Amino acid sequence: MECARWWKEAVVYQIYPASFRDSDGDGIGDLNGITEKLDYIRGLGADVIWLCPVYRSPGEDSGYDISDYRDVMPAFGTMADLERLLREAHDRGLRIIMDLVVNHTSDEHPWFAESRSSKTNPKRDYYIWREGRDGREPNNWRSYFSSSAWAYDETTGEYYLHLFSKKQPDLNWKNPALREEIYEMMRFWLDKGFDGFRMDTINLILKAEGFPDSDRPPATDEGYVFDERLYANQPGVHELLREMNERVLSRYDLMTVGETLNVTPETASEYVRDERRELNMICNFELMSVDSGPLWKWDVVPWRLRDIKRIVAAWQTGLHGKGWNSLYLNNHDQPRMVSRFGDDGRYRVRSAKMLATLLHTLQGTPFIYQGEEIGMTNVRFGSIDDYRDIETLNFYNEATKRGAMEPRQAMEAIYRKGRDNVRTPMQWNDGEQAGFTDGVPWIGLNPNYKVINAERALADPYSVLSYYRRLIALRRAHPVIVYGDFELLAEEDESVFAYARRLGNERLLVVLNFFGTPATFDVPSGRLDPHAELLIANHGGDGEDSAFAETAAAGPVSDKGRDAGEGSIRLALLPYEARVYRWSER
């Protein structure tokens, strides 16, 4: 059995502060608004909050461009407000992990002001500076936010590296003085009582030695190439994380989650194996690329269930006994999961529950992004002027300016993959501004808040929210869900995702119909006891006729399926139906 840890048994609720709850009417969510809603989070069953950045920031990239690591964004409140939030959360048994953004800072950070002031400034080497080459950038690297990853600074006549916005210069982690400043800042927050860190793009902190050109063909006529092989998982990154662990992390009882790009289950284990003494878990992006074409994120292609199953199974089996998975299908950077992988129309409720069943019955720590638990959907704003996200705006301007896409085509890509899909305000009720603010929200509301909102969900025993509560309670009641091993069934099935879990003599079978048409599933022999309990199911209560009630009362499988011959059992599944069976081996 996996070694028990509190962070393995936790359920994390991610908060994007600007869009969660505004307490003072300025249209921007804030810390006191989060404190107001702690009972809501506790009532859901979550026990850890991941707080997206609340540090002082100019807001170029929604707080991921930090100008002061030891102060609070004024729009969010004060240090006293943050300390009160932490205190009130702890009083309710909730822990809080902070977003740690140390691959880069804002160009308005005092370190960068000094660094750019002269080539001889003591903080010059806190960032990555290079001379140009033949009147152009030092190499052909492309940033995550479009165009070159280098920006020219006239003060000293050199270029600085920025893998994201040009207002987010990358830090030079080879500098020991810089690392010590970062470690001291981490201790500052942990000594206040925070319970860990989600570490933004932590495996990008070292770049390829010598900053060579990418040998891949450029994606645009500008000649810049996006190539994570040169940014991520570079030699020396593990030594730096072990140093961070030794100097800081190991001295506290923490949850540490690394956002890591371009990793596989094999390379991921190097970050999370206990004996490595680096991180508790990572969040990877392989599943988040399942509908991306050769031109990366905005090149949207249909996803295939076989690919989803292959990726999930590889991570479940690849890290079992070696490390720990984080489980998510959306976050502040990814579109709403019910719009991406489910059906946000007719079967919104049922498909949202089906996807939740997947996340909460795998081995790993589930992460719930605000609004996911009420089935919030992507938004379709009428104009690019309604969007606020820098990545989205850069993409639209570049794609339409170069003629790579017509404006309508670019908007369709944004409707599918844009980050503002998950950054519209939390939908608390059907009143004015969805109960998010008494003022004008910083970004528009999704118009469906009249139907999809927390107040309505709380009053409905068959809502997505009610189903989340039950899933979380079941995860706590049955160790097999947390610690059991994983076996993928019917790998080639084009409609049904099914898998078995086992811990000691406790067994689970999870069966998920991923599509809006009925399906049948022949359970392989020995993978379902005829007298198994139907632990939870997602049908019923969503306005459709169903042969079964969502109460999922215990009873023999023969009540819910039929013999398919040779000792196997055939299950007839409704569109987007999810079932979880449990039994004990004799």
Side-chain angles (χ1 to χ4, degrees), residues 440-454:
V440 178
W442 70 276
I443 189 172
L445 294 158
N446 192 320
N448 62 18
Y449 74 88
K450 293 285 187 180
V451 174
I452 304 172
N453 60 73

Side-chain angles (χ1 to χ4, degrees), residues 160 175 302 467 518 567:
Y160 64 86
N175 185 324
Y467 192 79

Side-chain angles (χ1 to χ4, degrees), residues 1-3 8 269 272-275 315-325 363 483 485:
M1 176 176 167
E2 293 275 355
C3 183
K8 293 181 179 180
S269 68
V272 296
R273 289 204 308 265
D274 280 351
E275 65 270 21
W315 283 89
Q316 287 288 292
T317 58
L319 285 188
H320 183 69
K322 301 176 183 177
W324 199 249
N325 281 287
Q363 185 182 84
Y483 293 111
D485 61 17

Side-chain angles (χ1 to χ4, degrees), residues 317-337:
T317 58
L319 285 188
H320 183 69
K322 301 176 183 177
W324 199 249
N325 281 287
S326 65
L327 307 171
Y328 74 102
L329 283 175
N330 50 197
N331 60 27
H332 65 293
D333 283 334
Q334 302 292 338
R336 290 286 178 185
M337 70 183 198

